Amino acid sequence: MSRTEVVTITNMCMVYDGSKVLVQDKIDDEYSGLQFPGGHVEKGESFTDAVIREVFEETGLRISSPVLCGIKDWSNDDGSRYMVLFYKTDKFEGELTSSCEGEVHWFELEDMKKRKLAKGMDKMLEVFLNEEISEYFFYKENGE
């Protein structure tokens, strides 16, 4: 049995300022709704550099000192794994600018929770906000 697997690594970052969080209204046909900014880790790129780059590309803000706070992962039908590294930071500078990924806005965290969230974002928020939880893992049961 092989101990290696093909893995796609991505990230997501909760940028916060007091009780406000930076959200992106994702406009992807397959994955729309409110979520935190993030994206793919490029080959050879550090995880921290990737989340700093992705947040800048999607929001115009330069974050610093992102802290890894959890992961979300699952196995795909082809045997590969998909992993999302969750980060948090309240250190940022720059001018907020939306991208082709979706509009970005500051929301009170409680107000965000009442809006249309991207699929699974309610469970991801539990990982971001509860220090007792560090992983959101999808299990397949009966082919689903």
Side-chain angles (χ1 to χ4, degrees):
M1 179 167 134
S2 175
R3 295 180 62 144
T4 62
E5 61 185 328
V6 174
V7 180
T8 299
I9 305 170
T10 63
N11 57 57
M12 184 179 281
C13 188
M14 182 176 90
V15 181
Y16 62 97
D17 186 6
S19 62
K20 292 185 177 181
V21 292
L22 181 61
V23 298
Q24 181 178 53
D25 193 359
K26 195 81 166 164
I27 53 175
D28 187 313
D29 290 339
E30 294 179 20
Y31 190 72
S32 62
L34 296 182
Q35 68 170 29
F36 297 137
H40 284 80
V41 176
E42 301 295 333
K43 186 176 181 177
E45 185 178 36
S46 82
F47 297 154
T48 302
D49 287 347
V51 73
I52 291 169
R53 176 186 52 77
E54 284 289 349
V55 170
F56 177 72
E57 288 175 0
E58 295 183 2
T59 72
L61 299 182
R62 290 202 182 275
I63 63 168
S64 59
S65 304
V67 175
L68 185 64
C69 62
I71 61 171
K72 169 183 162 182
D73 61 309
W74 64 90
S75 294
N76 292 311
D77 291 338
D78 65 3
S80 66
R81 181 180 292 243
Y82 197 97
M83 179 182 271
V84 185
L85 304 172
F86 293 157
Y87 289 88
K88 291 196 270 192
T89 189
D90 62 351
K91 295 171 180 52
F92 59 89
E93 61 183 19
E95 186 175 327
L96 192 62
T97 307
S98 297
S99 72
C100 62
E101 301 267 347
E103 295 291 317
V104 289
H105 309 277
W106 288 102
F107 280 126
E108 291 289 333
L109 180 60
E110 293 306 313
D111 188 35
M112 175 201 177
K113 292 177 182 178
K114 298 174 189 170
R115 296 177 180 262
K116 181 188 178 284
L117 301 176
K119 183 179 178 184
M121 191 62 198
D122 57 333
K123 295 289 185 190
M124 288 183 267
L125 279 171
E126 291 180 38
V127 179
F128 279 104
L129 300 172
N130 185 340
E131 292 183 9
E132 304 278 321
I133 302 171
S134 62
E135 184 179 17
Y136 175 25
F137 183 76
F138 288 91
Y139 291 96
K140 268 197 175 179
E141 292 180 357
N142 302 320
E144 293 185 28

